[in-house]
Amino acid sequence: MVAFPPAATLSAMDTYTFTLLLGAAQAAYAHAYAPYSHFQVGAALLGADGQVYAGCNVENASYGLTRCAEQSAIQGMNTAGVRQFDALVVYSESTPPASPCGACRQILFEFAPGAKVACVNHLGERLDIQVSELLPHGFRMAQE
Ligand code: THU
């Protein structure tokens, strides 16, 4: 039943991965399209192929069509044919640092329940957590 280790056994992503993803997330952050909320977010994940996939939030005048930064990164990874990732950095300039919204948690869970996540801001505040901690008991289709 329990497919992933409990939080107590978790460790943060290594410094090299964090630095690599933070740079990519900050670059994506600068490209966020957020004229309505003025809340920019950048995300970057390390795909199982070793490549970095970044995304920013892209808003719309029809607010509900807004795409979160994490979803943009997941789309890029899938477009490259990659279905797994090991680590994700979410960058914002808010306090506390933005953590993935509920919808994004389920989308992240689809591909990597065990991935390490770091939510960081411009002040260096940082939350280290795992996808399955962000979304305990996330939904999965039953596999026969
Ligand atoms: N947003 C993200 O891109 N990721 C998150 O984790 C939280 C929220 C975006 C959506 C919207 O463009 C703006 O932040 C305000 O909600």
Side-chain angles (χ1 to χ4, degrees):
M1 170 85 180
V2 178
F4 301 98
T9 68
L10 298 177
S11 57
M13 69 184 74
D14 63 84
T15 304
Y16 175 80
T17 299
F18 176 74
T19 305
L20 180 74
L21 294 180
L22 178 60
Q26 287 174 322
Y29 172 94
H31 294 147
Y33 177 70
Y36 305 105
S37 72
H38 303 289
F39 191 95
Q40 294 175 243
V41 185
L45 53 84
L46 183 64
D49 61 344
Q51 297 296 308
V52 174
Y53 298 95
C56 63
N57 53 329
V58 181
E59 298 187 343
N60 193 277
S62 178
Y63 295 172
L65 298 180
T66 289
R67 176 67 45 94
C68 288
E70 297 89 330
Q71 293 178 37
S72 299
I74 287 284
Q75 289 293 130
M77 181 187 80
N78 275 272
T79 302
V82 180
R83 311 283 184 223
Q84 263 278 340
F85 65 97
D86 299 323
L88 166 70
V89 167
V90 180
Y91 179 77
S92 64
E93 297 195 350
S94 62
T95 304
S99 74
C101 75
C104 285
R105 292 176 190 207
Q106 178 65 34
I107 289 168
L108 297 170
F109 186 87
E110 176 79 14
F111 298 102
K116 294 174 178 184
V117 179
C119 304
V120 292
N121 66 13
H122 57 307
L123 302 174
E125 295 174 331
R126 174 172 169 177
L127 169 69
D128 283 283
I129 196 160
Q130 184 177 341
V131 171
S132 61
E133 288 179 278
L134 286 169
L135 186 69
H137 310 288
F139 175 70
R140 271 194 184 291
M141 294 288 273
Q143 302 285 326
E144 291 296 316

